[in-house]
Amino acid sequence: MKIKCLIIDDEPLAINVIKNYIEQIEDLELVNTFSNSIEGLNFLKNNTIDVIFLDINMPVLDGINFIKSLENPPLLIITSAYDQFAIETYELDVLDYLVKPIEFPRLMKAVNKINKRLNNTTKTPQENSKENPFIFVKIDKKKMKKIFLNEILVIESLKDYLKISTTSGKFIIHSTLSDFTSLLPERDFIRIHRSYTIAIDKIDAVEGNSIEIEGLRYVIGRSYIDEVKQKILNSSI
């Protein structure tokens, strides 16, 4: 099932930017767009939406009062040119707050939050145990690639880029290691060096200050070694 999205924003350019981003992500479906929140409110009376990309500064009914008017709101992603409303909107259980101009990697981070929230709230515990979590990454200007987390072996920093090595191939993306690692579940992945994050369950051996994964050795940085060895020990039976 695709995630049904709605955009409410009084700026046509902002609508077009987010619309273009959504069209590049195969798990998302843009159901409709509105230039004012009153039209959006009327639409929600007869339609079910999973997530709204919502501007704050709009005529007649602003984004904050729009949220307060909803009895059972869907997931909410704020898209605003101003950051001063962030604290107030988070108190309204907003999932994320994107400051314009919105870059595609930042929106993808919000999409990954959407996937995580929907997986946690729409599945029973038994269904969650069978879930095969994934993340979308942009591998070129037009293509998004779904990568299953249980296939990731090593993420390697290449300055402004990353090389993601998986059981099904290798991919280069534009991101920092810190940003990408923050999207991964801490129980399954650990940063072992300023240049490497690895999947704990893919470790074949630990020897001295190095880790072996599929025949390749990766050095554990001095500042990481105590935490890495303790986490590996705690993950053992």
Side-chain angles (χ1 to χ4, degrees):
M1 294 288 291
K2 289 197 173 186
I3 297 170
K4 295 182 178 181
C5 304
L6 187 68
I7 301 173
I8 303 177
D9 197 312
D10 64 342
E11 298 178 25
L13 179 60
I15 289 178
N16 287 336
V17 169
I18 300 173
K19 178 181 178 181
N20 179 59
Y21 290 161
I22 288 174
E23 289 174 348
Q24 296 182 57
I25 306 171
E26 64 179 22
D27 270 18
L28 301 188
E29 176 188 352
L30 181 59
V31 177
N32 214 329
T33 67
F34 295 104
S35 58
N36 71 76
S37 53
I38 299 296
E39 291 178 351
L41 201 60
N42 291 330
F43 179 81
L44 289 172
K45 291 178 182 179
N46 300 306
N47 297 273
T48 300
I49 294 295
D50 297 309
V51 58
I52 301 176
F53 292 89
L54 177 69
D55 189 18
I56 292 290
N57 289 329
M58 289 184 290
V60 186
L61 182 67
D62 63 38
I64 290 175
N65 284 306
F66 170 83
I67 295 171
K68 291 178 179 179
S69 71
L70 299 176
E71 292 185 6
N72 298 297
L75 298 181
L76 298 163
I77 305 293
I78 298 299
T79 57
S80 175
Y82 309 95
D83 60 7
Q84 65 261 37
F85 304 107
I87 294 177
E88 185 175 1
T89 55
Y90 277 127
E91 291 175 351
L92 297 172
D93 197 29
V94 165
L95 184 62
D96 208 345
Y97 194 107
L98 310 185
V99 179
K100 299 173 183 175
I102 301 167
E103 299 292 336
F104 188 80
R106 182 63 185 88
L107 184 127
M108 274 307 308
K109 191 171 184 177
V111 172
N112 288 321
K113 287 184 180 181
I114 293 169
N115 278 313
K116 185 175 181 180
R117 176 71 70 86
L118 291 178
N119 285 338
N120 287 339
T121 57
T122 62
K123 306 288 185 180
T124 66
Q126 184 176 6
E127 288 173 326
N128 268 328
S129 68
K130 297 178 181 179
E131 188 71 25
N132 190 3
F134 57 85
I135 190 169
F136 277 98
V137 297
K138 190 172 186 179
I139 60 175
D140 60 37
K141 291 183 178 180
K142 296 183 178 180
K143 186 174 182 180
M144 299 295 301
K145 174 68 177 176
K146 178 189 285 186
I147 296 180
F148 291 100
L149 299 190
N150 63 4
E151 293 184 356
I152 295 176
L153 302 169
V154 178
I155 305 105
E156 179 181 356
S157 174
L158 305 172
K159 292 188 177 181
D160 295 330
Y161 292 84
L162 297 179
K163 180 171 72 174
I164 305 174
S165 299
T166 75
T167 56
S168 58
K170 296 180 180 180
F171 309 95
I172 302 294
I173 69 168
H174 187 274
S175 180
T176 65
L177 188 59
S178 295
D179 285 346
F180 191 82
T181 301
S182 70
L183 299 175
L184 303 173
E186 292 184 7
R187 68 182 183 277
D188 299 324
F189 295 87
I190 187 169
R191 189 166 179 174
I192 65 168
H193 189 277
R194 60 190 178 90
S195 298
Y196 299 107
T197 291
I198 58 96
I200 296 174
D201 68 339
K202 300 301 190 299
I203 296 173
D204 295 317
V206 180
E207 183 177 355
N209 67 336
S210 67
I211 283 174
E212 182 179 331
I213 298 177
E214 294 205 338
L216 298 177
R217 287 190 174 275
Y218 302 90
V219 174
I220 305 172
R222 289 183 180 180
S223 60
Y224 297 88
I225 194 161
D226 290 338
E227 179 186 355
V228 170
K229 289 192 173 182
Q230 184 62 43
K231 192 165 186 177
I232 292 172
L233 180 64
N234 290 340
S235 68
S236 303
I237 296 176

